[in-house]
């Protein structure tokens, strides 16, 4: 199988560890505390928010590339499949959230978005010293 053939059939998001963890917990033969299940579902929703962000960014880039004739139909088909899979994932998370508390499905992604933003901010803040060190190595000044 050539590289082109292999990449044309690869999933846009090859794995979803947060979903797998949640499904493992919910499927466990041993009782799992609701608090742990809710936390795992929130982590899953946070991962989905990050996927939503990536899909939006990728869609803009792919549209430009497709208009220039630089992206093939197989890539666009993979992307469309990823969008549908993500939509189904969101519906599933909302449905799961509503099993814990009616109405939580309408709020879980708001909370997950806040968590994803906090993670992104934390990563940026933690990387400031590294960025300053790189700039120092390059002789740049941040003033």
């Amino acid at each position: 199988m050539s590289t082109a053939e292999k990449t044309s059939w690869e999933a846009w998001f090859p794995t979803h560890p947060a979903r797998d963890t949640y499904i493992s917990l919910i499927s466990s033969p041993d009782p799992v505390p609701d608090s742990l299940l809710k936390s795992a579902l929130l982590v899953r929703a946070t991962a989905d928010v990050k996927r939503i962000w990536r899909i939006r960014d990728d869609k803009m880039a792919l549209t430009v590339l497709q208009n220039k004739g630089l992206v093939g139909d197989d890539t666009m088909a993979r992307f469309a499949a990823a969008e549908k899979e993500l939509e189904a994932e969101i519906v599933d998370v909302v449905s799961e959230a509503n099993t814990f508390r009616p109405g939580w499905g309408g709020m879980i992604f708001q909370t997950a978005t806040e968590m994803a933003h906090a993670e992104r901010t934390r990563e940026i803040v933690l990387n400031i010293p590294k960025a300053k060190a790189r700039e120092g190595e390059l002789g740049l000044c941040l003033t």
Side-chain angles (χ1 to χ4, degrees):
M1 178 180 286
S2 73
T3 304
E5 288 174 318
K6 181 181 176 200
T7 57
S8 69
W9 295 106
E10 287 178 4
W12 204 261
F13 300 108
T15 62
H16 196 323
R19 179 185 60 206
D20 297 343
T21 299
Y22 177 77
I23 290 172
S24 294
L25 289 171
I26 204 90
S27 303
S28 174
D30 301 322
V32 177
D34 270 1
S35 61
L36 182 59
L37 292 173
K38 289 175 185 176
S39 295
L41 186 61
L42 194 53
V43 169
R44 177 180 173 184
T46 303
D48 290 338
V49 166
K50 293 174 186 175
R51 287 173 180 237
I52 291 167
W53 292 345
R54 176 156 171 223
I55 285 281
R56 286 181 184 160
D57 290 346
D58 291 353
K59 188 171 198 162
M60 287 188 293
L62 282 173
T63 301
V64 170
L65 293 172
Q66 185 182 32
N67 289 339
K68 293 181 179 182
L70 299 173
V71 174
D73 292 340
D74 58 335
T75 300
M76 296 309 294
R78 281 180 45 232
F79 182 77
E83 281 184 310
K84 287 185 191 270
E85 182 181 324
L86 186 55
E87 288 171 13
E89 167 68 7
I90 291 166
V91 168
D92 191 45
V93 168
V94 168
S95 174
E96 288 288 320
N98 285 328
T99 65
F100 289 107
R101 190 175 75 220
W104 190 35
M107 299 182 321
I108 190 169
F109 279 100
Q110 292 171 340
T111 305
T113 299
E114 290 174 18
M115 289 175 60
H117 278 296
E119 284 180 30
R120 184 182 273 177
T121 301
R122 186 172 36 256
E123 288 173 14
I124 290 168
V125 169
L126 292 175
N127 284 321
I128 289 173
K130 293 176 191 173
K132 284 185 177 181
R134 277 194 308 266
E135 289 173 357
E137 291 170 5
L138 297 173
L140 302 174
C141 181
L142 259 183
T143 54

